[in-house]
Amino acid sequence: MTLFCRHTSASLLIHENAAPAAQRDTEAFFARLAPEGADYEHDDEGPDDMPAHLRTALTATQLSIPVMNGRLILGTWQGIFLFEHRAGPHVREIALHLVGE
Amino acid sequence: MTLFCRHTSASLLIHENAAPAAQRDTEAFFARLAPEGADYEHDDEGPDDMPAHLRTALTATQLSIPVMNGRLILGTWQGIFLFEHRAGPHVREIALHLVGE
Amino acid sequence: MTLFCRHTSASLLIHENAAPAAQRDTEAFFARLAPEGADYEHDDEGPDDMPAHLRTALTATQLSIPVMNGRLILGTWQGIFLFEHRAGPHVREIALHLVGE
């Protein structure tokens, strides 16, 4: 099954699914790694615009996950997340494509 | 459709397609994140060799993009880029594999 | 052929396959980029727990590589690596899914 995120300021992430603290650490890490206010040339949509593109480039726009016996073969701790990189809420579209019998 | 970049010093990137400034910011960001001159052990092909491997590791070597009605289902602002990480120009090979009917 | 890593603290990497020094530089780079001891909230499994999730998020959990004439179409210098992000050794599971005739 292929998931494809149709955006340049949100991405897909397979991440630890059990510990909310891990999710908060990951959000904080990417906020430090590609911060707002770093003197970007591009800021058409505000200070969170360019950091969102960078965090998207550093993570995944697409994931293909094998299916076995009708289920994704995710590992025990893996969850699939939509990673929103803009400061405010946005409606996002993810395309799902299932290939096989 | 699967795109596969057959190199370890160039990668594939889905990125904002409308604003050239966003592309320049992204190039500058990766140049800061994995800079030349950071005392790498590996420099067989010069100071831009190891940073190119690192920037490749941080982005995508492969992208699979669903096709619907004969068209890639890219979002409005998404463009597919070959991200060259070496300082000089190189000829690059991208394999395309289309699966389906 | 799709490879899928069933973990959140190890990942897949296509990387320079000929120079061990390049592999050491890449390990050192990710150790600096997402270091231990950076005051993470999540440390259920020790100080190497959260850095491992971050390094996984920055690299690939899944790779799809086209096959031609019975062989992966890897480039000359490309090797496929399992990138272990925890400090100690772990048993890891990679799912392989081959689609086609």
Side-chain angles (χ1 to χ4, degrees):
Chain A
M1 187 184 73
T2 294
L3 303 175
F4 184 81
C5 181
R6 302 184 70 221
H7 305 277
T8 59
S9 56
S11 58
L12 298 169
L13 188 64
I14 289 190
H15 196 265
E16 227 279 0
N17 199 18
Q23 299 167 26
R24 289 190 292 269
D25 280 334
T26 295
E27 290 196 1
F29 172 79
F30 280 95
R32 285 193 306 271
L33 188 60
E36 291 193 21
D39 200 22
Y40 304 111
E41 183 184 353
H42 175 76
D43 60 357
D44 295 357
E45 299 194 12
D48 64 327
D49 188 351
M50 197 59 221
H53 294 316
L54 297 175
R55 296 171 200 173
T56 301
L58 290 165
T59 50
T61 291
Q62 168 261 319
L63 290 171
S64 293
I65 307 169
V67 175
M68 195 161 59
N69 300 327
R71 292 177 66 89
L72 299 175
I73 53 136
L74 292 170
T76 306
W77 306 106
Q78 288 182 317
I80 305 171
F81 293 82
L82 173 68
F83 199 171
E84 174 62 60
H85 300 302
R86 298 296 304 273
H90 284 69
V91 175
R92 300 300 193 177
E93 286 182 17
I94 310 294
L96 272 74
H97 187 195
L98 187 62
V99 175
E101 291 164 24
Chain B
M1 188 185 73
T2 294
L3 303 176
F4 184 81
C5 181
R6 301 184 71 221
H7 304 277
T8 59
S9 56
S11 57
L12 298 169
L13 188 64
I14 290 190
H15 197 264
E16 227 281 2
N17 199 19
Q23 299 168 26
R24 289 190 293 268
D25 280 334
T26 294
E27 290 197 0
F29 173 79
F30 281 96
R32 285 193 305 270
L33 187 60
E36 290 192 22
D39 200 21
Y40 304 111
E41 183 184 351
H42 175 75
D43 61 357
D44 295 356
E45 299 194 13
D48 64 327
D49 188 352
M50 196 60 220
H53 294 316
L54 297 175
R55 296 170 200 172
T56 301
L58 290 165
T59 50
T61 290
Q62 168 262 321
L63 290 171
S64 293
I65 307 169
V67 176
M68 194 162 59
N69 299 327
R71 295 176 64 89
L72 299 174
I73 53 138
L74 293 170
T76 307
W77 306 105
Q78 287 182 316
I80 304 170
F81 292 82
L82 173 67
F83 198 172
E84 174 60 62
H85 299 302
R86 296 296 305 273
H90 284 69
V91 175
R92 301 300 192 175
E93 287 183 17
I94 309 295
L96 273 74
H97 187 196
L98 188 62
V99 175
E101 292 163 24
Chain C
M1 189 185 72
T2 294
L3 304 175
F4 184 82
C5 181
R6 301 184 71 223
H7 304 278
T8 59
S9 55
S11 57
L12 299 169
L13 188 63
I14 289 189
H15 196 264
E16 227 281 359
N17 199 19
Q23 298 168 27
R24 290 191 292 269
D25 280 334
T26 295
E27 290 197 1
F29 172 79
F30 280 95
R32 285 194 305 271
L33 187 60
E36 289 192 23
D39 200 22
Y40 304 110
E41 183 184 353
H42 175 75
D43 61 357
D44 295 357
E45 300 193 12
D48 63 328
D49 188 352
M50 196 59 220
H53 294 315
L54 298 174
R55 297 171 200 171
T56 301
L58 290 165
T59 50
T61 290
Q62 168 262 319
L63 290 171
S64 293
I65 307 169
V67 176
M68 195 162 60
N69 300 328
R71 294 177 64 89
L72 298 175
I73 53 137
L74 293 170
T76 307
W77 306 105
Q78 288 183 318
I80 304 171
F81 293 82
L82 172 67
F83 199 171
E84 174 62 62
H85 299 302
R86 296 297 304 274
H90 284 68
V91 175
R92 300 300 192 175
E93 286 182 18
I94 309 295
L96 272 74
H97 187 195
L98 188 62
V99 175
E101 291 162 25

mmCIF file of all heavy atoms in Angstrom, chain A residues 2 5 11 14 16 25-26 29 37 40 42-43 45 47-48 50 52 55 59 72 75 79 88 94 96 98 100:
data_model
loop_
_atom_site.group_PDB
_atom_site.id
_atom_site.type_symbol
_atom_site.label_atom_id
_atom_site.label_comp_id
_atom_site.label_asym_id
_atom_site.label_seq_id
_atom_site.Cartn_x
_atom_site.Cartn_y
_atom_site.Cartn_z
ATOM 1 N N THR A 2 0.665 2.103 -0.964
ATOM 2 C CA THR A 2 1.433 3.336 -1.053
ATOM 3 C C THR A 2 0.601 4.507 -0.540
ATOM 4 O O THR A 2 -0.543 4.686 -0.953
ATOM 5 C CB THR A 2 1.872 3.603 -2.501
ATOM 6 O OG1 THR A 2 2.799 2.578 -2.895
ATOM 7 C CG2 THR A 2 2.542 4.959 -2.644
ATOM 8 N N CYS A 5 1.575 11.915 0.270
ATOM 9 C CA CYS A 5 1.116 13.192 0.844
ATOM 10 C C CYS A 5 1.224 14.275 -0.229
ATOM 11 O O CYS A 5 2.318 14.531 -0.746
ATOM 12 C CB CYS A 5 1.985 13.531 2.058
ATOM 13 S SG CYS A 5 1.520 15.062 2.870
ATOM 14 N N SER A 11 4.163 16.072 5.984
ATOM 15 C CA SER A 11 4.815 14.863 5.491
ATOM 16 C C SER A 11 4.324 13.644 6.253
ATOM 17 O O SER A 11 3.476 13.737 7.147
ATOM 18 C CB SER A 11 6.341 15.009 5.595
ATOM 19 O OG SER A 11 6.731 15.265 6.922
ATOM 20 N N ILE A 14 6.780 7.419 9.984
ATOM 21 C CA ILE A 14 6.568 6.226 10.801
ATOM 22 C C ILE A 14 7.341 6.443 12.085
ATOM 23 O O ILE A 14 8.541 6.724 12.052
ATOM 24 C CB ILE A 14 7.009 4.948 10.055
ATOM 25 C CG1 ILE A 14 6.005 4.680 8.936
ATOM 26 C CG2 ILE A 14 7.115 3.766 11.022
ATOM 27 C CD1 ILE A 14 6.148 3.359 8.253
ATOM 28 N N GLU A 16 7.387 5.972 16.678
ATOM 29 C CA GLU A 16 6.979 5.359 17.936
ATOM 30 C C GLU A 16 5.527 5.719 18.244
ATOM 31 O O GLU A 16 5.166 6.881 18.312
ATOM 32 C CB GLU A 16 7.869 5.935 19.050
ATOM 33 C CG GLU A 16 8.468 4.951 19.996
ATOM 34 C CD GLU A 16 7.470 4.537 21.061
ATOM 35 O OE1 GLU A 16 6.332 5.020 21.050
ATOM 36 O OE2 GLU A 16 7.858 3.703 21.896
ATOM 37 N N ASP A 25 9.103 15.173 21.657
ATOM 38 C CA ASP A 25 10.540 15.354 21.415
ATOM 39 C C ASP A 25 10.841 15.490 19.930
ATOM 40 O O ASP A 25 11.708 16.274 19.532
ATOM 41 C CB ASP A 25 11.316 14.150 21.981
ATOM 42 C CG ASP A 25 11.540 14.229 23.485
ATOM 43 O OD1 ASP A 25 11.564 15.354 24.034
ATOM 44 O OD2 ASP A 25 11.705 13.166 24.112
ATOM 45 N N THR A 26 10.149 14.704 19.111
ATOM 46 C CA THR A 26 10.399 14.771 17.668
ATOM 47 C C THR A 26 9.939 16.104 17.095
ATOM 48 O O THR A 26 10.642 16.725 16.286
ATOM 49 C CB THR A 26 9.704 13.591 16.955
ATOM 50 O OG1 THR A 26 10.327 12.378 17.400
ATOM 51 C CG2 THR A 26 9.845 13.695 15.442
ATOM 52 N N PHE A 29 12.515 18.621 18.132
ATOM 53 C CA PHE A 29 13.773 18.451 17.392
ATOM 54 C C PHE A 29 13.701 19.119 16.019
ATOM 55 O O PHE A 29 14.604 19.869 15.632
ATOM 56 C CB PHE A 29 14.085 16.962 17.242
ATOM 57 C CG PHE A 29 15.250 16.670 16.337
ATOM 58 C CD1 PHE A 29 16.556 16.811 16.796
ATOM 59 C CD2 PHE A 29 15.042 16.260 15.028
ATOM 60 C CE1 PHE A 29 17.636 16.531 15.956
ATOM 61 C CE2 PHE A 29 16.116 15.982 14.195
ATOM 62 C CZ PHE A 29 17.412 16.124 14.655
ATOM 63 N N GLY A 37 12.446 32.009 11.694
ATOM 64 C CA GLY A 37 13.278 33.175 11.969
ATOM 65 C C GLY A 37 14.734 33.017 11.589
ATOM 66 O O GLY A 37 15.599 33.717 12.115
ATOM 67 N N TYR A 40 15.194 33.406 6.142
ATOM 68 C CA TYR A 40 14.903 32.801 4.846
ATOM 69 C C TYR A 40 14.513 33.873 3.834
ATOM 70 O O TYR A 40 13.918 34.890 4.182
ATOM 71 C CB TYR A 40 13.743 31.794 4.979
ATOM 72 C CG TYR A 40 13.996 30.715 6.009
ATOM 73 C CD1 TYR A 40 13.267 30.672 7.189
ATOM 74 C CD2 TYR A 40 14.970 29.741 5.793
ATOM 75 C CE1 TYR A 40 13.491 29.685 8.136
ATOM 76 C CE2 TYR A 40 15.203 28.753 6.741
ATOM 77 C CZ TYR A 40 14.456 28.732 7.908
ATOM 78 O OH TYR A 40 14.691 27.759 8.840
ATOM 79 N N HIS A 42 12.444 33.099 1.304
ATOM 80 C CA HIS A 42 11.046 32.773 0.975
ATOM 81 C C HIS A 42 10.181 32.826 2.229
ATOM 82 O O HIS A 42 10.389 32.051 3.163
ATOM 83 C CB HIS A 42 11.004 31.365 0.360
ATOM 84 C CG HIS A 42 9.628 30.839 0.082
ATOM 85 N ND1 HIS A 42 8.857 31.263 -0.976
ATOM 86 C CD2 HIS A 42 8.887 29.900 0.728
ATOM 87 C CE1 HIS A 42 7.709 30.604 -0.990
ATOM 88 N NE2 HIS A 42 7.697 29.779 0.043
ATOM 89 N N ASP A 43 9.209 33.750 2.251
ATOM 90 C CA ASP A 43 8.277 33.788 3.385
ATOM 91 C C ASP A 43 6.899 34.250 2.925
ATOM 92 O O ASP A 43 6.194 34.959 3.649
ATOM 93 C CB ASP A 43 8.803 34.675 4.507
ATOM 94 C CG ASP A 43 9.013 36.114 4.055
ATOM 95 O OD1 ASP A 43 8.803 36.414 2.858
ATOM 96 O OD2 ASP A 43 9.377 36.946 4.901
ATOM 97 N N GLU A 45 4.087 32.941 2.784
ATOM 98 C CA GLU A 45 2.940 32.634 3.640
ATOM 99 C C GLU A 45 3.258 32.819 5.124
ATOM 100 O O GLU A 45 2.557 32.282 5.981
ATOM 101 C CB GLU A 45 2.451 31.206 3.370
ATOM 102 C CG GLU A 45 1.992 31.001 1.931
ATOM 103 C CD GLU A 45 1.198 29.726 1.737
ATOM 104 O OE1 GLU A 45 0.800 29.097 2.747
ATOM 105 O OE2 GLU A 45 0.973 29.347 0.580
ATOM 106 N N PRO A 47 6.265 33.304 8.550
ATOM 107 C CA PRO A 47 7.538 32.763 9.062
ATOM 108 C C PRO A 47 7.557 31.246 9.196
ATOM 109 O O PRO A 47 8.634 30.667 9.317
ATOM 110 C CB PRO A 47 7.669 33.443 10.439
ATOM 111 C CG PRO A 47 6.299 33.863 10.810
ATOM 112 C CD PRO A 47 5.595 34.173 9.529
ATOM 113 N N ASP A 48 6.391 30.609 9.191
ATOM 114 C CA ASP A 48 6.357 29.150 9.292
ATOM 115 C C ASP A 48 6.358 28.479 7.925
ATOM 116 O O ASP A 48 6.301 27.252 7.845
ATOM 117 C CB ASP A 48 5.135 28.694 10.097
ATOM 118 C CG ASP A 48 3.825 29.059 9.399
ATOM 119 O OD1 ASP A 48 3.786 30.121 8.727
ATOM 120 O OD2 ASP A 48 2.863 28.289 9.495
ATOM 121 N N MET A 50 8.746 28.581 5.166
ATOM 122 C CA MET A 50 9.978 27.919 4.728
ATOM 123 C C MET A 50 10.401 26.774 5.661
ATOM 124 O O MET A 50 10.787 25.696 5.182
ATOM 125 C CB MET A 50 11.097 28.962 4.580
ATOM 126 C CG MET A 50 12.281 28.475 3.765
ATOM 127 S SD MET A 50 11.848 27.966 2.069
ATOM 128 C CE MET A 50 12.878 26.485 1.928
ATOM 129 N N ALA A 52 8.525 24.818 7.133
ATOM 130 C CA ALA A 52 7.651 23.688 6.791
ATOM 131 C C ALA A 52 8.171 22.946 5.559
ATOM 132 O O ALA A 52 8.148 21.711 5.505
ATOM 133 C CB ALA A 52 6.222 24.174 6.558
ATOM 134 N N ARG A 55 11.293 20.893 6.744
ATOM 135 C CA ARG A 55 10.962 19.705 7.553
ATOM 136 C C ARG A 55 10.317 18.629 6.671
ATOM 137 O O ARG A 55 10.496 17.436 6.914
ATOM 138 C CB ARG A 55 10.027 20.108 8.710
ATOM 139 C CG ARG A 55 10.710 21.069 9.692
ATOM 140 C CD ARG A 55 9.731 21.654 10.713
ATOM 141 N NE ARG A 55 10.269 22.883 11.303
ATOM 142 C CZ ARG A 55 9.595 23.692 12.115
ATOM 143 N NH1 ARG A 55 8.342 23.400 12.449
ATOM 144 N NH2 ARG A 55 10.150 24.794 12.590
ATOM 145 N N THR A 59 11.849 14.625 5.912
ATOM 146 C CA THR A 59 11.062 13.437 6.258
ATOM 147 C C THR A 59 10.496 12.825 4.969
ATOM 148 O O THR A 59 11.098 12.971 3.923
ATOM 149 C CB THR A 59 9.990 13.798 7.301
ATOM 150 O OG1 THR A 59 9.263 14.953 6.843
ATOM 151 C CG2 THR A 59 10.634 14.151 8.650
ATOM 152 N N LEU A 72 -1.393 -4.333 7.124
ATOM 153 C CA LEU A 72 -0.067 -3.726 6.955
ATOM 154 C C LEU A 72 0.907 -4.439 7.881
ATOM 155 O O LEU A 72 0.573 -4.709 9.038
ATOM 156 C CB LEU A 72 -0.119 -2.237 7.319
ATOM 157 C CG LEU A 72 -1.053 -1.356 6.482
ATOM 158 C CD1 LEU A 72 -1.077 0.051 7.067
ATOM 159 C CD2 LEU A 72 -0.608 -1.317 5.044
ATOM 160 N N GLY A 75 5.637 -2.880 12.338
ATOM 161 C CA GLY A 75 6.205 -3.442 13.547
ATOM 162 C C GLY A 75 5.385 -3.051 14.774
ATOM 163 O O GLY A 75 4.521 -2.160 14.710
ATOM 164 N N GLY A 79 3.709 3.440 14.252
ATOM 165 C CA GLY A 79 2.460 4.067 13.854
ATOM 166 C C GLY A 79 2.738 4.973 12.663
ATOM 167 O O GLY A 79 3.857 5.462 12.492
ATOM 168 N N GLY A 88 -0.466 26.676 11.882
ATOM 169 C CA GLY A 88 -1.915 26.557 12.053
ATOM 170 C C GLY A 88 -2.442 25.274 11.437
ATOM 171 O O GLY A 88 -1.727 24.582 10.712
ATOM 172 N N ILE A 94 -4.124 12.819 1.594
ATOM 173 C CA ILE A 94 -3.203 11.700 1.419
ATOM 174 C C ILE A 94 -3.825 10.733 0.410
ATOM 175 O O ILE A 94 -4.963 10.287 0.609
ATOM 176 C CB ILE A 94 -2.985 10.936 2.745
ATOM 177 C CG1 ILE A 94 -2.647 11.891 3.889
ATOM 178 C CG2 ILE A 94 -1.929 9.855 2.587
ATOM 179 C CD1 ILE A 94 -1.340 12.588 3.736
ATOM 180 N N LEU A 96 -4.075 7.084 -1.247
ATOM 181 C CA LEU A 96 -3.763 5.685 -0.937
ATOM 182 C C LEU A 96 -3.876 4.867 -2.213
ATOM 183 O O LEU A 96 -4.891 4.948 -2.915
ATOM 184 C CB LEU A 96 -4.769 5.115 0.078
ATOM 185 C CG LEU A 96 -4.448 5.302 1.552
ATOM 186 C CD1 LEU A 96 -4.688 6.739 1.950
ATOM 187 C CD2 LEU A 96 -5.272 4.362 2.411
ATOM 188 N N LEU A 98 -3.478 0.918 -3.416
ATOM 189 C CA LEU A 98 -3.248 -0.470 -3.035
ATOM 190 C C LEU A 98 -3.065 -1.291 -4.307
ATOM 191 O O LEU A 98 -3.955 -1.328 -5.156
ATOM 192 C CB LEU A 98 -4.448 -0.971 -2.218
ATOM 193 C CG LEU A 98 -4.328 -2.353 -1.581
ATOM 194 C CD1 LEU A 98 -3.197 -2.404 -0.575
ATOM 195 C CD2 LEU A 98 -5.646 -2.722 -0.897
ATOM 196 N N GLY A 100 -2.219 -5.072 -6.007
ATOM 197 C CA GLY A 100 -2.185 -6.509 -5.727
ATOM 198 C C GLY A 100 -3.558 -7.120 -5.862
ATOM 199 O O GLY A 100 -4.481 -6.485 -6.379
#
